[in-house]
């Protein structure tokens, strides 16, 4: 995108994405795009898409992405959760890229990004027929707690911290959902009101499962999204800031990251799953794209 489009606002990034879809023949979006820069990435269904990127002192990048070359973009993330429809079927993809800082993630943003990527890759690896969605969701929370303990954001013994449910403040949504002719296809079947399949383990911490849109064992040919995240929303964190399991000083160093979510579409196969999303998500590629060095 650098040297082709000059963007410094969320609305401009949205316009570039939608224009790219239409250029390829996809006339409609599957849902309202979420284009959130800086700390606004902590809002799960942010859809204003009307703010400028954060400006501030920074080392200028050679990438030509700013209108005003007397100013520099401050280091921040840009979260884009946006997908088109194709032949009446929906897609659903989320990627996070660095903005400013020469197209590189800050130390804190990279650590959170790599945490979420680890969560997602582990769940993709474990997704196969007969595995219950609750089990995969719990796995994502387990990895989140492990990684936040390593970073020092959480403190205490792993099992105790996990069972406290505090990680739900950093990850206040489900692992993903069914996908088809609608972006959430279909809620009544994915989360039936009478459900005897829910594992007994899920009763130990119901807070983890409150927002799940899918609560069934996976079956061959199911198409689902896998989209873990980690967010620093002041509203979600407010009730747990005084938790003995949170190191407030360390947390303060990460709050400016805002949030990270990584989302792919997968199709369940006989022995695992196929990832249908083709756009890359490794840090090296994202930073190369953001810096204009591709």
């Amino acid at each position: 995108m650098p040297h082709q489009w000059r963007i410094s606002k969320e609305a401009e990034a949205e316009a570039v994405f939608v224009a790219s879809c239409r250029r390829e023949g996809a006339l409609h979006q599957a849902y309202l795009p979420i284009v959130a820069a800086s700390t606004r990435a902590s809002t799960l269904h942010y859809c204003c898409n009307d703010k400028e990127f954060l400006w501030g002192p920074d080392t200028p990048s050679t990438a030509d992405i700013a209108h005003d070359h007397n100013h520099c973009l401050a280091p921040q993330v840009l979260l884009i959760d946006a997908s088109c429809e194709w032949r009446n079927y929906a897609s659903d993809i989320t990627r996070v890229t660095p903005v400013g800082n020469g197209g590189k993630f800050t130390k804190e943003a990279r650590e959170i990004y790599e945490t979420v990527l680890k969560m997602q890759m582990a769940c993709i690896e474990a997704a196969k027929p007969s595995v219950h969605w609750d089990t995969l969701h719990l796995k994502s929370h387990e990895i989140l707690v492990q990684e936040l303990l390593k970073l020092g954001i959480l403190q205490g013994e792993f099992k105790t911290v996990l069972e406290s449910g505090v990680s739900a403040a950093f990850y206040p949504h489900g692992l993903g959902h069914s996908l088809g002719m609608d972006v959430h296809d279909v809620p009544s079947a994915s989360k039936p009101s009478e459900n005897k399949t829910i594992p007994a383990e899920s009763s130990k911490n119901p807070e983890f499962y409150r927002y799940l849109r899918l609560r069934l064992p996976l079956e061959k040919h199911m198409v689902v999204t896998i989209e873990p995240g980690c967010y620093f929303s002041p509203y979600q964190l407010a009730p747990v800031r005084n938790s003995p399991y949170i190191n407030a000083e360390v947390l303060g160093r990460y709050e400016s990251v805002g949030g990270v979510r990584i989302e792919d579409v997968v199709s369940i196969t006989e022995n695992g799953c196929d990832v249908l999303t083709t756009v890359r998500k490794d840090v090296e590629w994202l930073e190369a794209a953001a810096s204009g060095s591709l």
Side-chain angles (χ1 to χ4, degrees):
M1 301 308 288
H3 309 299
Q4 299 178 35
W5 298 84
R6 296 182 178 184
I7 59 172
S8 59
K9 300 176 183 178
E10 294 165 346
E12 294 170 348
E14 178 184 2
V16 170
F17 178 83
V18 173
S20 298
C21 292
R22 292 197 164 204
R23 183 177 60 193
E24 297 300 323
L27 300 183
H28 305 291
Q29 296 295 294
Y31 51 93
L32 289 176
I34 297 169
V35 183
S38 186
T39 54
R40 294 180 292 279
S42 68
T43 301
L44 299 187
H45 289 106
Y46 177 85
C47 58
C48 297
N49 304 350
D50 61 353
K51 302 294 190 296
E52 287 196 18
F53 295 166
L54 182 65
W55 298 90
D58 180 35
T59 302
S61 165
T62 56
D64 191 16
I65 61 174
H67 287 293
D68 185 349
H69 293 280
N70 294 319
H71 294 80
C72 297
L73 292 168
Q76 62 203 283
V77 300
L78 176 62
L79 183 152
I80 300 181
D81 183 339
S83 294
C84 62
E85 289 184 355
W86 185 253
R87 295 182 179 178
N88 297 320
Y89 281 88
S91 56
D92 196 355
I93 303 166
T94 306
R95 289 293 183 266
V96 172
T97 62
V99 171
N101 199 39
K104 305 291 184 181
F105 285 110
T106 64
K107 172 181 176 293
E108 291 78 13
R110 181 171 183 145
E111 288 170 342
I112 298 303
Y113 185 89
E114 290 178 336
T115 291
V116 176
L117 185 59
K118 186 174 292 187
M119 294 163 67
Q120 195 209 31
M121 296 302 291
C123 290
I124 289 174
E125 179 68 24
K128 61 182 179 181
S130 80
V131 173
H132 202 283
W133 194 249
D134 281 28
T135 303
L136 286 183
H137 184 68
L138 178 59
K139 177 183 285 290
S140 66
H141 268 281
E142 291 172 342
I143 296 171
L144 177 62
V145 170
Q146 289 170 351
E147 296 305 308
L148 294 187
L149 283 169
K150 290 177 185 177
L151 295 176
I153 296 172
L154 296 180
Q155 56 191 7
E157 194 270 331
F158 167 75
K159 187 173 184 290
T160 304
V161 175
L162 179 68
E163 292 178 350
S164 76
V166 71
S167 59
F170 297 88
Y171 179 20
H173 63 78
L175 177 64
H177 52 83
S178 299
L179 187 73
M181 297 186 79
D182 194 359
V183 74
H184 298 139
D185 196 349
V186 290
S188 59
S190 299
K191 191 178 179 180
S193 55
E194 293 187 13
N195 191 347
K196 297 180 180 180
T197 72
I198 295 177
E201 180 78 10
S202 298
S203 64
K204 294 181 181 179
N205 206 320
E207 185 67 22
F208 285 170
Y209 309 98
R210 178 184 297 184
Y211 301 110
L212 262 63
R213 298 179 184 270
L214 172 62
R215 300 202 71 178
L216 293 170
L218 293 173
E219 297 179 18
K220 185 179 178 181
H221 301 310
M222 276 186 172
V223 176
V224 298
T225 67
I226 296 184
E227 51 176 308
C230 179
Y231 312 86
F232 298 89
S233 165
Y235 308 104
Q236 296 289 341
L237 291 174
V240 300
R241 281 191 181 276
N242 295 324
S243 167
Y245 306 114
I246 291 181
N247 185 318
E249 181 181 352
V250 178
L251 172 62
R253 299 203 298 268
Y254 287 84
E255 289 190 77
S256 63
V257 173
V260 169
R261 179 169 62 257
I262 307 172
E263 179 178 18
D264 289 326
V265 177
V266 307
S267 175
I268 304 302
T269 62
E270 187 172 354
N271 299 308
C273 70
D274 289 335
V275 178
L276 304 183
T277 308
T278 58
V279 64
R280 288 173 59 175
K281 57 194 172 186
D282 55 283
V283 169
E284 293 72 22
W285 184 86
L286 290 170
E287 291 186 336
S291 65
S293 62
L294 283 181

